[in-house]
Amino acid sequence: DAGVIQSPRHEVTEMGQEVTLRCKPISGHDYLFWYRQTMMRGLELLIYFNNNVPIDDSGMPEDRFSAKMPNASFSTLKIQPSEPRDSAVYFCASSDFGDSDEQYFGPGTRLTVT
Amino acid sequence: AQKVTQAQTEISVVEKEDVTLDCVYETRDTTYYLFWYKQPPSGELVFLIRRNSFDEQNEISGRYSWNFQKSTSSFNFTITASQVVDSAVYFCALILNSGGYQKVTFGTGTKLQVIP
């Protein structure tokens, strides 16, 4: 398997624009996680899905953030409208409940909002 | 509530020295998993080890070793004979998995710099 795939790897956008980050989990994994990493706040869990269903979105900072998982092989994290404080690295991770709970991380998307 | 504390923000050692990274966790659950991840300067998060709460055996993998002590709620990580390639941020994480509901808590990380 190719591992967790994220796109784009880098995104630069202007404040107020909509940003969509994409993730393809490892085939067969039934959990998908979205994290945000900043210098100030470290690694924060934003939301996670189990079998495509959002289970816990308590980490989503505000209504400008939304996440979807329309099928087992694709998820999106959308920010609308974006703000400079959203600048961070966003990681997607997947895991297999029946396995070791180890989360396999994607390479991350570095988002810069100017 | 769950909590993971990595009290060492940054550590610098000279190459070939041994170094221990501390991780202290808090949870009321009796079943949980502890992890260590490495984040090198390139930015990706690399899995190092997983330990479940019922397995207190220490583990050694090459230059890496882990000491899990439930009595002190600690899961410390030691690198023996450190190398420059070990320079990275290391995260300790606690995962509770109860009936499909997962609670994930990462520590704030320890930045290790190995000086040649």
Side-chain angles (χ1 to χ4, degrees), chain A residues 31 96-97 101, chain B residues 29 31-33 95-103:
Chain A
Y31 280 90
D96 179 0
F97 176 76
D101 290 324
Chain B
D29 284 57
T31 302
Y32 50 88
Y33 301 90
I95 295 182
L96 310 177
N97 194 331
S98 175
Y101 180 81
Q102 294 208 11
K103 181 68 178 177

Side-chain angles (χ1 to χ4, degrees), chain A residues 7-87:
Chain A
S7 64
R9 294 292 308 277
H10 302 273
E11 177 80 34
V12 180
T13 191
E14 292 183 349
M15 181 174 62
Q17 297 297 306
E18 176 180 296
V19 175
T20 298
L21 311 181
R22 298 172 176 81
C23 175
K24 176 178 168 54
I26 292 174
S27 177
H29 281 187
D30 48 7
Y31 280 90
L32 184 140
F33 305 81
W34 282 101
Y35 290 88
R36 177 173 68 175
Q37 186 177 33
T38 61
M39 289 294 293
M40 291 297 294
R41 301 176 68 89
L43 200 58
E44 304 173 273
L45 177 63
L46 301 178
I47 184 172
Y48 78 89
F49 296 82
N50 181 19
N51 292 321
N52 313 337
V53 176
I55 303 299
D56 187 348
D57 64 355
S58 59
M60 296 284 262
E62 48 197 274
D63 292 344
R64 298 184 297 105
F65 285 69
S66 63
K68 294 182 180 179
M69 192 165 186
N71 57 61
S73 59
F74 183 66
S75 177
T76 60
L77 178 67
K78 185 177 293 186
I79 308 172
Q80 166 63 19
S82 58
E83 296 181 3
R85 59 193 169 121
D86 300 330
S87 297

